[in-house]
Amino acid sequence: MPNPESAHTFQVDLRGLVDLLSHHLYSSPRVYLRELLQNAVDAITARQAAAPGSPATITVRTGETLTVTDTGIGLTEADVHRFLATIGRSSKRGADGSLDGSGLDAARGDFIGQFGIGLLACFVVADEITVLSRSAADPAAPAVEWRGHSDGRYTIRTLPASAVPEPGTTVRLTPRADNAEWTAPQQVVSLARHYGGLLRYEVTVVGPQGETHQVNETPPWEQTHRSPLARREAMAAYGRHLFDFTPLDSIELDLPAAGLRGVAYVLPTAMSPAQRAGHRVHLKGMLLTDQAPELLPEWAFFVRCVVDTTSLRPTASREALYEDGTLSAVRDALGERIRDWLTGLAASDPSLLHRFIDTHHLAVKALARYDDELLRIVLPWLPFETTDGNVTLEEFARAHPTVLVTRSVEEFRQVAPIASAAGLGVVNGGYTYDRDLVHRLPEIRPGTAVTDLDPATVTAHLDAVDPSAELRAAGFLAIARETISVHDCDVVLRDFQPVTASALLLDNREARHERTRSSLAADSDGLWADILGSLRHETPRAQLVLNHLNPLVRQAITIAERGLAVTTAEALYSQALLLSRRPLRASESALLNRAFIGLLTHAMHHTGTAAPGSEPRKEL
């Protein structure tokens, strides 16, 4: 006959649970004060719901012990057994959403804490917690004392009414020596201001000598100001105090449907898009976190926010936002508010728009790629690197009906001097977002043509040299082509401006890829080298274009001695490489050194006559 089933209850090792909280759930022992303030606020909220106009104060006293006293709903002996002795049960919730244990039909959203583990955070800094409480819901009930220990023991006893004259609760901690720093008077004041600076009820910290500190204040967005300018100045002053910078502007945030109000401050200095700003999020006045990048869309990295909300959900540690549909909707709505501010600047404050774009043009470009309305408004104001210098796209398009855009910074640097002299309008599209935005210019400015720059376009604007001159240079060009061909590069002779440019290295992406493949294949062996070899393509080679108008090149093409011609060709190629500003490969660095050492050696040995044992050399 089978044995009957028997029911058992889980046993909880409180020391192990406290260790879990302190090392894995909470980021720091300092959260103990936040939990105490949070419980006090919720207790006052419950009493206010039952008896509006009741006292609403929280007092924190520091010294050898730390106490937090509130004028809240208080607890009866039955409440103490039910809530303080049961881990995970919160006095702020019931199965039906009502205020468990008080008989009040209060909405669960009125309270900050909902997890029932807040008091345990105090065991992170203390071995003993004492709770003295008198219920406001049941005035006839006696006061009660609960004394808990970190090893899991607790005692409960009732007290005469005189022990606790008024309804409310006092929590007393006896800090451990190894955590005394967290309960030091100045630390307590700092923590109270940090966490409770926006709480709706008065919070006062009383020091060992009786000195008092008011730690919370009404945020500027909830205050009445004498004028819009005064309101704006108050917002900016609050941002300076909070974030230690003077913002370019302040953007008020108000989402009534989400119970959210606050301010977004525009940073006065540029910030990397990869470094998302941390935002301060208060939940019903209590600071939840000052590092909440998920509050705003990724593109809005140019602002820092401080908000107070009633609808966003915290994680169990109450140190981050819970990712859900509400947070997603709030993020989108806040992004729309910031976008509206930005688009409104064009009409309301063009000078501020210029200052903003000068500082945060990368952020604006990131946003404009996905926002057609914003693109229409701000694209003409955005600066780009062009052959006419750093100018706005509107200014550049007026001078160049056909806009050429490069795919990389390297391509732009190769062709910029020559293209400028030839009257070509080229935009550097190698920076983040730039090429995509330039290609959308015709949408905003009909009649403007935008096309990617091809090296052949530049070559077509270079004049062919006179056939007789090309014939005279044939010997040198043959040696130069043989010398430079090992670098997958051809050599041609052309006439172009400016005269000061001796050579131009024209390249394209396919040729660069082919050089990279060849380099990898040369450094590999076995199967990998065979695979790379099979990927070889007959792509256009790079071109070293020598400027026949340049005096140096005119002398170089007359060199007859092979050794000097080889060195000169390598020197011209090296100079063109340096002008392109692309990273040099090891073989190219070696070539650069070899070319200049060769020229130096030739100059040192040249005395106007041939050196002993050598053939006569023609001077370069």
Side-chain angles (χ1 to χ4, degrees), residues 33 60 62 184-195 205-207 211-215:
L33 188 60
V60 182
T62 61
Q186 290 303 314
Q187 181 72 276
V188 171
V189 172
S190 176
L191 292 178
R193 284 177 174 157
H194 178 70
Y195 287 116
V205 178
V206 181
E211 65 276 19
T212 60
H213 305 270
Q214 183 71 34
V215 301

Side-chain angles (χ1 to χ4, degrees), residues 136-191:
D138 185 2
V144 62
E145 177 192 79
W146 178 90
R147 192 182 299 268
H149 301 268
S150 60
D151 60 6
R153 295 178 294 111
Y154 69 91
T155 60
I156 298 177
R157 63 178 180 136
T158 58
L159 302 172
S162 59
V164 184
E166 299 293 334
T169 300
T170 296
V171 180
R172 179 182 297 114
L173 307 182
T174 303
R176 292 196 303 271
D178 59 341
N179 278 291
E181 62 178 295
W182 298 109
T183 57
Q186 290 303 314
Q187 181 72 276
V188 171
V189 172
S190 176
L191 292 178

Side-chain angles (χ1 to χ4, degrees), residues 342-343 346 353 357 364 368 373-382:
L342 189 53
T343 55
L353 177 61
I357 289 179
V364 179
E373 178 64 17
L374 184 65
L375 180 75
R376 182 185 65 80
I377 293 173
V378 304
L379 185 58
W381 300 75
L382 293 175

Side-chain angles (χ1 to χ4, degrees), residues 20 30 48-49 51 65 75 78 115 135 203 243 266 287 308 324 328 361 363 411 450 466 562 586 606:
L20 178 66
R30 67 179 183 171
Q48 292 287 310
T65 61
L75 298 170
F115 295 94
S135 175
V203 180
F243 297 120
V266 182
L287 180 67
D308 188 20
D324 58 7
S328 178
H361 57 274
E411 287 180 358
V450 177
D466 184 84
R562 179 178 178 82
H606 183 71

Side-chain angles (χ1 to χ4, degrees), residues 32-42 58-60 68 112 191-193 195-196 199 203 215 286:
Y32 83 91
L33 188 60
R34 182 198 66 191
E35 299 295 334
L36 290 175
L37 291 176
Q38 180 172 286
N39 287 341
V41 169
D42 286 341
I58 302 170
T59 304
V60 182
V68 178
I112 303 173
L191 292 178
R193 284 177 174 157
Y195 287 116
L199 288 176
V203 180
V215 301
M286 181 71 70

Side-chain angles (χ1 to χ4, degrees), residues 447-459:
T448 303
V450 177
T451 184
D452 284 330
L453 177 69
D454 187 274
T457 305
V458 179
T459 305

